Amino acid sequence: MLEHGLVLGAYLYCVGFFGSITSRNTVRALTRLESIFNAVNINFATFSNFLDNQRAGGEIFCLFIIAVAAAEAAIGLALALVIQRNRKSTRIDQFDLLKW
């Protein structure tokens, strides 16, 4: 069961990493970042079940990652909406709006 969880987490991480590098849309890059966080959560839960089944350390750490991911999504989407209003585009290469 350990190998299945690790392969799933590695696949999800690679898809998210490749998507975040090649994506030019801000919202798409944020969703790929969320898939990277989910891959890390899968790996934490898998290792937590494999190493110590009586404690819930990995699962508790997953809850903290989910809270950070929710805050990141809220702030990222708020920034994307502000840039969309000002520039009429959410392309990553046009983020020089926030520079001085």
Side-chain angles (χ1 to χ4, degrees), residues 1-2 7 12 18 28 39 45 51 55 66 68 73-75 81:
M1 197 64 192
L2 176 69
V7 167
L12 192 59
F18 180 74
R28 187 177 296 153
L51 295 177
R55 293 186 183 177
I66 291 170
V68 168
I75 292 171
L81 283 174

Side-chain angles (χ1 to χ4, degrees), residues 75-87:
I75 292 171
L77 288 175
L79 285 173
L81 283 174
V82 167
I83 292 174
Q84 170 69 27
R85 285 182 190 162
N86 292 333
R87 291 287 178 134

Side-chain angles (χ1 to χ4, degrees), residues 1-96:
M1 197 64 192
L2 176 69
E3 294 85 12
H4 298 294
L6 293 180
V7 167
L8 177 64
Y11 176 72
L12 192 59
Y13 182 82
C14 290
V15 167
F17 185 72
F18 180 74
S20 65
I21 287 176
T22 59
S23 174
R24 292 190 180 194
N25 190 350
T26 306
V27 178
R28 187 177 296 153
L30 287 174
T31 58
R32 299 301 180 206
L33 189 62
E34 294 290 329
S35 69
I36 291 173
F37 282 149
N38 287 333
V40 171
N41 282 340
I42 288 171
N43 285 334
F44 275 136
T46 301
F47 276 121
S48 177
N49 275 339
F50 181 71
L51 295 177
D52 192 7
N53 206 8
Q54 300 300 320
R55 293 186 183 177
E59 288 86 358
I60 291 173
F61 201 67
C62 288
L63 290 175
F64 286 115
I65 292 175
I66 291 170
V68 168
E72 173 264 331
I75 292 171
L77 288 175
L79 285 173
L81 283 174
V82 167
I83 292 174
Q84 170 69 27
R85 285 182 190 162
N86 292 333
R87 291 287 178 134
K88 307 295 187 247
S89 173
T90 58
R91 291 180 54 123
I92 292 177
D93 55 354
Q94 296 176 351
F95 267 20
D96 60 347

